Amino acid sequence: ALAKRIAEDYGFDPEELVYLGSGSYGDAFKIGDKVLKITSDLEEYMNANKLRRKPVTKYLVNYYDARQIDDEGWYYALLMDYVEPIKPDKIDIIRSAIVTFEYNFDKDYKSREDAKKHIEKNVNIPKDFKNKREEYIDIILQIYDIHKEGNKNNISVVDLHPGNIGVKDNHYVYYDIGIDYIFSNKLKRLKPFAYQGVDKYYTA
């Protein structure tokens, strides 16, 4: 009911909401080519505020709005791009590539070409993926791209795992961007939603 109320405030038809799933902090709903997320994650709200003021990002999900829902600041509404979930058969190789990159390689090479040369020369492909060397290295480079764009936008990429990665425009995108403990006092405090009257959306 609350998601429908907020969707209507955003100008969407609330009846078009499609429930996507829940996480530790909130619930996500697809509406058109966007996702409406209701969350209690302050860090993601802060990061969404940073990113919605930036030019369009490629490897970090684009946020379009981030608002407090209540006066106490316990819940937030986030509007972002929808990204396709990764395929189940890619989970293991992505998880392994993340670990390999984050434990063995620099997150801020001078260029992607430098990153590629160093990774290709020094990467130790786990035996389960020896026959997928090219794909494995490509995934590592996309993980590097995510970190690079995070650094550029002052976003700490510290919770990267297959559950926070989707696909858009044929490459991986990091979403659910929370757990950034660097607080910014420059965040604009947005007017909270007044969400009285949501009972009209309840059905028997």
Side-chain angles (χ1 to χ4, degrees), residues 158-176:
V158 294
D159 188 34
L160 197 59
H161 57 79
N164 285 351
I165 294 175
V167 179
K168 186 174 183 182
D169 299 329
N170 297 314
H171 62 78
Y172 293 122
V173 175
Y174 178 37
Y175 68 94
D176 196 11

Side-chain angles (χ1 to χ4, degrees), residues 3 14-23 26-31 35-36 82:
E15 298 307 318
E16 293 182 1
L17 278 176
V18 177
Y19 177 69
L20 292 175
S22 300
D27 300 292
F29 304 83
K30 187 174 185 291
I31 187 158
V35 169
L36 170 63
Y82 172 77

Side-chain angles (χ1 to χ4, degrees), residues 129-153:
F129 307 110
K130 288 287 187 182
N131 62 338
K132 298 181 178 179
R133 178 182 175 84
E134 185 175 338
E135 179 183 3
Y136 197 88
I137 291 175
D138 180 65
I139 294 172
I140 289 178
L141 286 170
Q142 292 190 59
I143 301 307
Y144 161 75
D145 291 330
I146 289 170
H147 277 280
K148 187 77 172 180
E149 194 163 85
N151 289 341
K152 179 181 177 181
N153 290 283

Side-chain angles (χ1 to χ4, degrees), residues 34-46:
K34 302 290 189 293
V35 169
L36 170 63
K37 184 173 183 180
I38 310 298
T39 182
S40 60
D41 186 346
L42 173 62
E43 286 77 28
E44 186 176 10
Y45 166 70
M46 292 162 59

